[in-house]
Structures are given as C-alpha cells and as structure tokens.
Amino acid sequence: MHRPSEGDARRPSKGERTRARILDSATELFSRSGFHAVSLRDIAAHAGLTHAGLLHHFPGKESLLMEVLERRDRLDARELFPGIAHPGAPVPAPAERLRLLIGVVARNTRTPGLVTLYAKLSAEATDPAHPAHRYFTRRYRLLRAELSDLVRALQDEAGHPGDLDPSVVAGQLLALMDGLQTQWLLEPGAVPMEELVRDFLGRLGLLPADRPEEADRAEGAGPAGEGEGAGAAGVSG
C-alpha cells in the first residue's frame, strides 16, 4: 500500500485546471482589449472550450472578471496584508512588509499583462456602472488604510513619528506606483519603477538600510540635502 510522502503534492483536478486555463485566457484578453470589448465566446475560444463549457465554470463575464482580479490580490494579501485575508493572523515586521511591497513593484516589471489589466480596468471602473467599480473602490480604500498603518509603523521604528501624515504618504505612494505603471507600459526602458519607488521612500526616511552596500552609504551620508547620500540613506532590499 502506497503511503503519501512529503513529495506527493495534490494534483489539481481536471476542473481546477480548466478554471485556471479560463482565468489565464480572460486575463490575457481583458489586458489586451479591456472588459467591454471581450465576450465570453472570445474567452472560451481562447481557452479551447465551447461557450457552454465555460459557463459550466463561470456563470457570466462579471463573475469571471471578479475572479481574475481577486486571484492575484489573494496571493499578495497573504504576505503583505495578512490581516485582510485572515483577520488576527500574525503580521510581518514593518521592514519585511516594506520589502515585500517593493518586491511586488519588481515583480510587476515581469508581468506586463497583469499591469495592463489593472491599469486599463481601474480606468474603466471609474464609471459607477462598471462591474468592477465597487471592487476597485474597496481595493483602494483597503490599500490606503493598510499602507497608512505601514508608514506609521516605519515612522515609529525610525524615531520620527508625526513628521508626515501617514495617510498622505500612503495616498502619494499609491499615486506614484499607479502613475509609474502607466509610464512604464508606454516606455518600459525609460521608467525604472522599483528604483523610483525606492527613491521616493528613501527621501522620506522610510527605507531601512538592510543591505551591506546601502548601510555603508547610509553611514557615510551627510545631513539631508547634502550630496547623493541624502536620497540614498535608508534604502532597503
């Protein structure tokens, strides 16, 4: 009798693999053309299914869109904002959460399709009648709240609480990330998103120097505003 070992991972069922294929196809087509220009028949054909076969897994285009949007958010929330996904779950230290956040910016440079999807749909969803309007409204509300808490914690660790309003910094950070994504989609080689986000946070003194070369730069930097060290001090990995 075979005993399951640690190396035996549960294989996705046929239905799970089909759902994943549908979601991948929907993500690609929504990214390319937006929500309104894509039909369920388009998605079914792209996924190698019949229209009826797709409807077996998703009752309509709106439910499919919500699943596409929420799939990546669920993965990010587990690490960045565990309190959202699982209330009461342990929260990583502020420096670790910031490292993970910057990691998301770096990852986005490797997933242009998803960046396009969020940029395109968030603009479409400003229309209150759009099916993703409530999703994006709630998403930004949660992000502002979570990032405000993170900024406040980082300020406390740095020893300068109250210097800047955390909610203002959170809004500025979200605006910066979204704006950089649009510029990057237009001209990827000219917009180093991760570097520019680091620079913004570094200028606010919110990036701990946890890489050896950055710690050396931070120790050798003069007072804020003097030379290159002013912007580089406290840059995180």
XYZ file of all heavy atoms in Angstrom, residues 5-58:
415
model
N 3.987 10.609 0.691
C 5.216 11.205 1.205
C 5.129 12.716 1.101
O 4.210 13.263 0.504
C 6.419 10.704 0.394
O 6.344 11.175 -0.942
N 6.132 13.394 1.682
C 6.139 14.845 1.641
C 6.238 15.351 0.213
O 5.817 16.448 -0.108
C 7.308 15.385 2.473
C 7.138 15.137 3.956
C 8.271 15.751 4.743
O 9.168 16.348 4.109
O 8.267 15.631 5.975
N 6.820 14.562 -0.660
C 6.983 14.991 -2.039
C 5.736 14.817 -2.881
O 5.689 15.256 -4.026
N 4.721 14.129 -2.321
C 3.475 13.914 -3.063
C 2.567 15.121 -2.879
O 1.935 15.275 -1.841
C 2.744 12.654 -2.550
C 3.506 11.394 -2.915
O 4.299 11.459 -3.868
O 3.298 10.375 -2.237
N 2.522 15.970 -3.876
C 1.632 17.130 -3.826
C 0.321 16.775 -4.511
O 0.300 16.025 -5.479
C 2.285 18.329 -4.508
N -0.750 17.321 -3.980
C -2.048 17.040 -4.589
C -2.118 17.670 -5.967
O -1.874 18.859 -6.140
C -3.168 17.619 -3.709
C -4.564 17.230 -4.193
C -5.619 17.919 -3.356
N -5.743 19.329 -3.679
C -6.489 19.790 -4.706
N -7.128 18.952 -5.503
N -6.574 21.088 -4.938
N -2.446 16.852 -6.943
C -2.550 17.362 -8.300
C -3.897 18.046 -8.487
O -4.920 17.549 -8.003
C -2.414 16.225 -9.314
C -1.027 15.600 -9.352
C -0.941 14.567 -10.455
N 0.386 13.981 -10.555
C 0.737 13.069 -11.462
N -0.179 12.627 -12.324
N 1.969 12.604 -11.484
N -3.897 19.176 -9.183
C -5.181 19.847 -9.438
C -6.105 18.927 -10.227
O -5.666 18.161 -11.093
C -4.783 21.075 -10.267
C -3.323 21.271 -9.999
C -2.767 19.904 -9.756
N -7.379 18.992 -9.920
C -8.353 18.200 -10.655
C -8.509 18.755 -12.061
O -8.053 19.865 -12.379
C -9.703 18.236 -9.939
O -10.233 19.557 -9.994
N -9.180 18.002 -12.913
C -9.414 18.462 -14.273
C -10.204 19.768 -14.275
O -9.911 20.695 -15.036
C -10.175 17.393 -15.062
C -10.444 17.785 -16.513
C -11.180 16.689 -17.250
C -11.484 17.098 -18.694
N -12.220 16.038 -19.431
N -11.192 19.854 -13.379
C -11.982 21.071 -13.290
C -11.156 22.267 -12.853
O -11.324 23.374 -13.380
N -10.250 22.053 -11.897
C -9.381 23.142 -11.441
C -8.439 23.594 -12.544
O -8.182 24.802 -12.705
C -8.592 22.687 -10.211
C -9.442 22.524 -8.954
C -8.695 21.863 -7.820
O -7.735 21.099 -8.099
O -9.060 22.089 -6.654
N -7.925 22.657 -13.312
C -7.037 23.022 -14.417
C -7.802 23.796 -15.485
O -7.286 24.752 -16.062
C -6.402 21.765 -15.022
C -5.438 21.043 -14.098
C -4.564 20.063 -14.855
N -5.336 19.044 -15.563
C -5.715 17.894 -15.031
N -5.406 17.608 -13.759
N -6.395 17.000 -15.737
N -9.044 23.392 -15.725
C -9.855 24.107 -16.718
C -10.164 25.520 -16.257
O -10.081 26.479 -17.031
C -11.168 23.339 -16.984
O -10.857 22.023 -17.463
C -12.009 24.069 -18.022
N -10.515 25.674 -14.985
C -10.783 27.019 -14.448
C -9.540 27.904 -14.562
O -9.641 29.085 -14.920
C -11.218 26.930 -12.982
C -12.655 26.505 -12.772
C -12.969 26.417 -11.284
N -12.804 27.707 -10.612
C -13.766 28.610 -10.497
N -14.963 28.370 -11.008
N -13.550 29.745 -9.855
N -8.385 27.336 -14.255
C -7.145 28.110 -14.345
C -6.888 28.538 -15.785
O -6.443 29.662 -16.037
C -5.971 27.288 -13.811
N -7.174 27.643 -16.726
C -6.974 27.979 -18.145
C -7.916 29.099 -18.580
O -7.528 30.008 -19.317
C -7.177 26.735 -19.010
C -6.685 26.897 -20.437
C -6.527 25.569 -21.136
N -7.797 25.029 -21.607
C -8.367 23.940 -21.128
N -7.794 23.268 -20.133
N -9.509 23.503 -21.616
N -9.154 29.040 -18.095
C -10.121 30.099 -18.405
C -9.652 31.431 -17.824
O -9.701 32.469 -18.498
C -11.512 29.733 -17.850
C -12.082 28.516 -18.580
C -12.476 30.913 -17.979
C -13.336 27.938 -17.935
N -9.194 31.420 -16.578
C -8.735 32.647 -15.938
C -7.514 33.218 -16.656
O -7.398 34.439 -16.822
C -8.421 32.391 -14.467
C -9.628 32.122 -13.572
C -9.176 31.658 -12.192
C -10.489 33.373 -13.438
N -6.599 32.360 -17.078
C -5.430 32.831 -17.821
C -5.851 33.488 -19.134
O -5.328 34.543 -19.516
C -4.476 31.670 -18.113
C -3.759 31.174 -16.866
O -3.710 31.923 -15.865
O -3.248 30.038 -16.888
N -6.801 32.866 -19.826
C -7.272 33.424 -21.094
C -7.993 34.744 -20.878
O -7.788 35.713 -21.618
C -8.218 32.431 -21.796
O -7.520 31.275 -22.204
N -8.832 34.795 -19.851
C -9.557 36.033 -19.558
C -8.589 37.153 -19.189
O -8.754 38.300 -19.628
C -10.552 35.802 -18.423
N -7.570 36.830 -18.400
C -6.577 37.833 -18.022
C -5.892 38.402 -19.251
O -5.740 39.623 -19.399
C -5.523 37.215 -17.086
O -6.157 36.768 -15.889
C -4.440 38.219 -16.737
N -5.496 37.525 -20.156
C -4.805 37.984 -21.370
C -5.711 38.847 -22.242
O -5.301 39.916 -22.717
C -4.305 36.781 -22.167
C -3.558 37.172 -23.435
C -2.981 35.978 -24.175
O -2.827 34.904 -23.554
O -2.690 36.125 -25.382
N -6.938 38.421 -22.437
C -7.839 39.165 -23.324
C -8.311 40.472 -22.689
O -8.418 41.496 -23.373
C -9.035 38.290 -23.707
C -8.691 37.064 -24.555
C -9.951 36.265 -24.877
C -7.988 37.466 -25.842
N -8.624 40.452 -21.395
C -9.002 41.692 -20.724
C -7.839 42.683 -20.751
O -8.039 43.890 -20.893
C -9.408 41.435 -19.273
C -10.732 40.734 -19.100
C -10.970 39.922 -17.996
C -11.752 40.900 -20.028
C -12.192 39.289 -17.821
C -12.977 40.267 -19.873
C -13.201 39.459 -18.761
N -6.609 42.179 -20.573
C -5.440 43.050 -20.600
C -5.269 43.689 -21.969
O -4.890 44.857 -22.088
C -4.175 42.257 -20.256
O -4.265 41.668 -18.986
N -5.555 42.914 -23.002
C -5.334 43.384 -24.367
C -6.425 44.348 -24.822
O -6.135 45.361 -25.470
C -5.283 42.177 -25.309
C -4.927 42.502 -26.750
C -5.099 41.264 -27.619
N -4.355 40.115 -27.103
C -4.578 38.858 -27.483
N -5.539 38.589 -28.365
N -3.860 37.874 -26.991
N -7.679 44.067 -24.458
C -8.791 44.815 -25.056
C -9.722 45.491 -24.059
O -10.627 46.217 -24.483
C -9.615 43.867 -25.939
O -8.792 43.233 -26.905
N -9.534 45.270 -22.757
C -10.470 45.821 -21.781
C -11.643 44.875 -21.570
O -11.814 43.882 -22.282
N -12.468 45.207 -20.576
C -13.570 44.324 -20.211
C -14.688 44.329 -21.249
O -15.176 43.279 -21.668
C -14.127 44.751 -18.845
C -15.362 44.004 -18.419
C -15.272 42.720 -17.932
C -16.616 44.601 -18.499
C -16.413 42.022 -17.531
C -17.759 43.926 -18.103
C -17.657 42.628 -17.619
N -15.101 45.502 -21.678
C -16.285 45.603 -22.526
C -16.084 45.007 -23.916
O -17.038 44.513 -24.526
C -16.709 47.072 -22.637
C -17.205 47.659 -21.358
N -18.317 47.196 -20.696
C -16.713 48.672 -20.588
C -18.505 47.888 -19.587
N -17.542 48.795 -19.499
N -14.863 45.055 -24.428
C -14.620 44.600 -25.806
C -14.462 43.088 -25.934
O -14.388 42.563 -27.040
C -13.375 45.294 -26.369
N -14.432 42.388 -24.802
C -14.208 40.937 -24.821
C -15.499 40.221 -24.443
O -16.165 40.593 -23.477
C -13.084 40.550 -23.828
C -12.909 39.038 -23.779
C -11.779 41.229 -24.220
N -15.842 39.195 -25.207
C -17.038 38.409 -24.908
C -16.646 37.079 -24.278
O -15.492 36.642 -24.359
C -17.831 38.136 -26.193
O -17.134 37.227 -27.027
N -17.631 36.436 -23.665
C -17.375 35.103 -23.111
C -17.005 34.118 -24.205
O -16.200 33.212 -23.991
C -18.613 34.607 -22.354
C -18.845 35.200 -20.964
C -20.130 34.639 -20.366
C -17.672 34.926 -20.032
N -17.588 34.291 -25.389
C -17.242 33.404 -26.501
C -15.781 33.593 -26.910
O -15.098 32.625 -27.268
C -18.169 33.655 -27.684
C -19.620 33.251 -27.403
C -20.512 33.389 -28.628
N -21.894 33.119 -28.292
C -22.424 31.902 -28.206
N -21.653 30.843 -28.452
N -23.694 31.731 -27.884
N -15.299 34.840 -26.842
C -13.883 35.091 -27.131
C -12.999 34.349 -26.129
O -12.002 33.714 -26.510
C -13.575 36.590 -27.044
C -14.268 37.421 -28.097
O -14.530 36.885 -29.198
O -14.536 38.610 -27.835
N -13.356 34.431 -24.862
C -12.559 33.793 -23.818
C -12.606 32.274 -23.959
O -11.588 31.586 -23.842
C -13.052 34.227 -22.429
C -12.862 35.741 -22.253
C -12.322 33.465 -21.321
C -13.553 36.316 -21.032
N -13.795 31.755 -24.229
C -13.943 30.300 -24.398
C -13.087 29.802 -25.555
O -12.378 28.790 -25.429
C -15.409 29.954 -24.634
N -13.125 30.510 -26.676
C -12.341 30.094 -27.842
C -10.848 30.147 -27.529
O -10.083 29.236 -27.897
C -12.664 30.990 -29.037
N -10.426 31.173 -26.840
C -9.013 31.316 -26.494
C -8.567 30.196 -25.563
O -7.412 29.739 -25.633
C -8.793 32.678 -25.831
C -7.356 33.052 -25.659
N -6.581 32.597 -24.614
C -6.534 33.851 -26.402
C -5.366 33.092 -24.707
N -5.309 33.861 -25.794
N -9.467 29.750 -24.698
C -9.140 28.684 -23.743
C -9.353 27.291 -24.322
O -9.110 26.296 -23.636
C -9.985 28.842 -22.477
N -9.831 27.218 -25.569
C -10.065 25.919 -26.195
C -11.309 25.223 -25.694
O -11.368 23.992 -25.650
N -12.324 26.015 -25.332
C -13.566 25.467 -24.810
C -14.750 25.957 -25.639
O -14.636 26.925 -26.384
C -13.774 25.907 -23.353
C -12.737 25.482 -22.320
C -12.970 26.242 -21.029
C -12.811 23.993 -22.085
N -15.874 25.299 -25.446
C -17.110 25.818 -26.011
C -17.672 26.876 -25.068
O -17.273 26.974 -23.899
C -18.149 24.698 -26.173
O -18.486 24.190 -24.868
C -17.617 23.571 -27.045
N -18.611 27.652 -25.588
C -19.264 28.653 -24.742
C -19.960 27.976 -23.562
O -19.861 28.429 -22.408
C -20.272 29.448 -25.587
C -20.929 30.562 -24.848
N -22.267 30.837 -24.963
C -20.449 31.475 -23.962
C -22.579 31.863 -24.196
N -21.494 32.273 -23.583
N -20.627 26.882 -23.833
C -21.312 26.147 -22.765
C -20.316 25.588 -21.747
O -20.593 25.548 -20.545
C -22.149 25.022 -23.360
N -19.166 25.148 -22.247
C -18.145 24.617 -21.347
C -17.630 25.672 -20.386
O -17.405 25.396 -19.200
N -17.467 26.897 -20.878
C -17.036 27.982 -19.998
C -18.107 28.293 -18.966
O -17.803 28.496 -17.782
C -16.695 29.220 -20.828
C -16.116 30.414 -20.069
C -15.168 31.210 -20.957
C -17.211 31.344 -19.536
N -19.365 28.339 -19.404
C -20.456 28.670 -18.484
C -20.621 27.626 -17.385
O -21.194 27.916 -16.338
C -21.768 28.814 -19.262
C -21.870 30.034 -20.184
C -23.162 29.990 -20.974
C -21.782 31.321 -19.364
N -20.119 26.435 -17.611
C -20.155 25.398 -16.576
C -19.304 25.812 -15.376
O -19.585 25.419 -14.235
C -19.644 24.077 -17.150
C -19.555 22.971 -16.134
N -20.662 22.343 -15.606
C -18.474 22.404 -15.538
C -20.275 21.431 -14.738
N -18.952 21.448 -14.671
N -18.267 26.615 -15.630
C -17.349 27.022 -14.558
C -17.600 28.439 -14.061
O -17.347 28.732 -12.885
C -15.903 26.909 -15.060
C -15.480 25.511 -15.380
N -15.034 24.635 -14.420
C -15.451 24.840 -16.567
C -14.742 23.478 -14.984
N -14.980 23.565 -16.283
N -18.089 29.312 -14.935
C -18.361 30.695 -14.564
C -19.712 31.097 -15.138
O -19.926 30.980 -16.341
C -17.275 31.636 -15.094
C -15.918 31.404 -14.476
C -14.983 30.591 -15.113
C -15.577 31.984 -13.268
C -13.738 30.365 -14.557
C -14.333 31.767 -12.695
C -13.407 30.961 -13.337
